């Protein structure tokens, strides 16, 4: 089974306004409402690709109930911990001449709530995959990722981590199966600006030296790079298409990589191609990619000589 953890799920309210003006009444011409959060996005895309997954994390209030209901409507399994106080956050994403976001806070997560999550994660065993994705709420210990990986160490659980800077660097001693920074995040970790593929590969290998097994670097319109645990570095251009939505594209890449890895019998090149196709398919869609969307892009990706 594949499990994803989202500490701070959200309802993502996406509104489109023509020529938004501050201080004025603005009316939308399009509205979308999705369950959000990086781990939830991964679980949804895995479901679209026919791969069973279960979303873990914390929910609260009527917004939490709505998140759970919307996942159930998509046949996405969830085993959230319900927090008595507060409510799951609403994130507002405004599409106009410029894109803007207002992200809510979410509920306060207690040590008792966290222990309840640990108890669920303690049930994972060899052959399971765990995806840790996104930021850690201010009410939680900063070393929560490390605590989780320490508890699961030696059990044969493959862990993918999609986080930024210190959150990611601090888990490397636990040898995550996959990490997925983008090229800008990779540069930020080392205080450098990366301009060429060779520079990106050099610093990705530094992450391997620090403990990562497979390093997947997303580069938006410039494609992607995989520095694998074994074998040659793979470099791919980006598929052609009109970018409609950047939200969830990185999460979709992680879901696609895991799908390709599992369905191919653990072939990393297949996983890489599926990750690129899935991430791009979401970027070319208004929402998260469907299996049909992915198949269309995968045809182009399969033609790339990596």
């Amino acid at each position: 089974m594949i499990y994803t953890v989202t500490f701070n799920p959200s309802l993502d309210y996406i509104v489109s306004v023509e020529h938004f003006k501050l201080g004025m009444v603005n009316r939308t011409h399009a509205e979308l409402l999705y369950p959000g959060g990086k781990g939830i996005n991964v679980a949804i895309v895995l479901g679209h690709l026919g791969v069973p997954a279960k979303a873990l994390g914390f929910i609260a209030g009527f917004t939490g109930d709505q998140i759970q209901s919307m996942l159930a409507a998509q046949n996405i399994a969830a085993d959230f911990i319900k927090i008595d106080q507060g409510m799951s956050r609403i994130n507002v994403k405004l599409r106009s001449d410029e894109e803007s976001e207002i992200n809510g806070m979410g509920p306060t997560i207690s040590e008792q709530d966290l222990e309840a999550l640990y108890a669920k994660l303690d049930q994972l065993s060899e052959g399971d995959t765990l995806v840790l994705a996104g930021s850690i709420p201010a009410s939680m210990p900063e070393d929560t990722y490390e605590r989780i990986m320490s508890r699961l160490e030696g059990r044969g659980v493959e862990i993918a981590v999609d986080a930024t800077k210190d959150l990611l660097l601090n888990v490397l001693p636990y040898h995550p199966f996959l990490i997925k920074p983008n090229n800008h995040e990779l540069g930020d970790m080392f205080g450098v600006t990366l301009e060429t593929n060779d520079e990106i590969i050099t610093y990705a290998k530094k992450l391997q030296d620090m403990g990562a097994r497979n390093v997947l670097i997303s580069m938006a319109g410039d494609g992607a790079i995989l520095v694998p645990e074994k074998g040659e570095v793979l470099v791919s251009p980006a598929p052609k298409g009109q970018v409609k939505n950047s939200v969830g594209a990185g999460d979709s890449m992680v879901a696609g990589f895991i799908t390709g890895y599992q369905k191919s019998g653990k072939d990393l090149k297949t996983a890489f191609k599926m990750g690129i196709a899935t991430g791009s398919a979401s970027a070319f869609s208004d929402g998260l990619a469907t299996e049909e969307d992915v198949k269309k892009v995968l045809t182009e990706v399969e033609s790339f000589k990596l």
Side-chain angles (χ1 to χ4, degrees), residues 25-291:
V25 174
N26 295 269
R27 302 192 184 279
T28 65
H29 64 81
E31 301 177 8
L32 298 167
L33 187 66
Y34 296 118
K38 293 178 71 63
I40 284 176
N41 290 341
V42 173
I44 290 172
V45 175
L46 286 168
H48 288 176
L49 297 175
V51 178
K54 181 173 287 187
L56 307 177
F58 305 99
I59 57 172
F62 76 99
T63 45
D65 293 339
Q66 181 65 18
I67 291 168
Q68 186 150 299
S69 174
M70 295 175 82
L71 289 176
Q74 297 187 58
N75 296 316
I76 305 300
D79 188 15
F80 293 121
I81 294 157
K82 186 72 180 286
I83 297 174
D84 293 333
Q85 301 296 319
M87 70 176 197
S88 294
R89 60 191 178 144
I90 299 174
N91 293 342
V92 179
K93 303 179 187 297
L94 171 64
R95 294 176 177 172
S96 190
D97 300 324
E98 295 181 319
E99 285 200 9
S100 303
E101 297 187 19
I102 302 173
N103 289 347
M105 292 186 299
T108 297
I109 298 165
S110 69
E111 189 66 32
Q112 183 178 357
D113 297 325
L114 199 50
E115 287 295 334
L117 176 64
Y118 291 155
K120 293 182 186 295
L121 293 174
D122 284 343
Q123 305 306 308
L124 273 64
S125 59
E126 186 168 359
D128 288 334
T129 298
L130 175 65
V131 179
L132 299 174
S135 60
I136 294 176
S139 60
M140 290 174 53
E142 293 182 359
D143 64 347
T144 299
Y145 275 6
E146 294 113 285
R147 292 189 189 189
I148 289 172
M149 295 185 72
S150 176
R151 291 176 81 103
L152 294 177
E153 198 168 21
R155 293 197 195 176
V157 178
E158 293 192 324
I159 302 178
V161 181
D162 185 4
T164 58
K165 208 158 185 180
D166 289 345
L167 275 182
L168 186 58
L169 291 171
N170 291 341
V171 303
L172 297 182
Y174 297 97
H175 307 292
F177 162 70
L178 176 70
I179 59 173
K180 195 216 68 63
N182 64 38
N183 53 325
H184 302 297
E185 291 165 347
L186 178 60
D188 286 345
M189 289 179 208
F190 295 98
V192 296
T193 300
L194 304 178
E195 297 180 351
T196 68
N197 286 350
D198 285 344
E199 290 173 343
I200 290 169
I201 292 167
T202 295
Y203 281 91
K205 287 182 176 179
K206 288 182 184 293
L207 295 180
Q208 280 186 323
D209 292 340
M210 297 166 70
R213 290 169 56 192
N214 299 288
V215 183
L216 177 60
I217 310 296
S218 56
M219 304 185 297
D222 293 326
I225 294 173
L226 175 66
V227 180
E229 183 176 18
K230 298 177 182 177
E232 296 182 359
V233 173
L234 301 176
V235 180
S236 174
K240 295 182 176 64
Q242 180 185 353
V243 175
K244 296 181 180 178
N245 170 38
S246 61
V247 177
D251 310 324
S252 299
M253 177 178 271
V254 172
F257 187 95
I258 292 171
T259 298
Y261 185 74
Q262 292 204 347
K263 288 188 174 182
S264 68
K266 301 188 175 182
D267 180 70
L268 288 171
K269 181 179 282 190
T270 301
F272 183 48
K273 289 183 175 181
M274 189 66 175
I276 294 166
T278 308
S280 298
S282 282
F284 301 157
S285 307
D286 287 323
L288 296 172
T290 64
E291 186 172 23

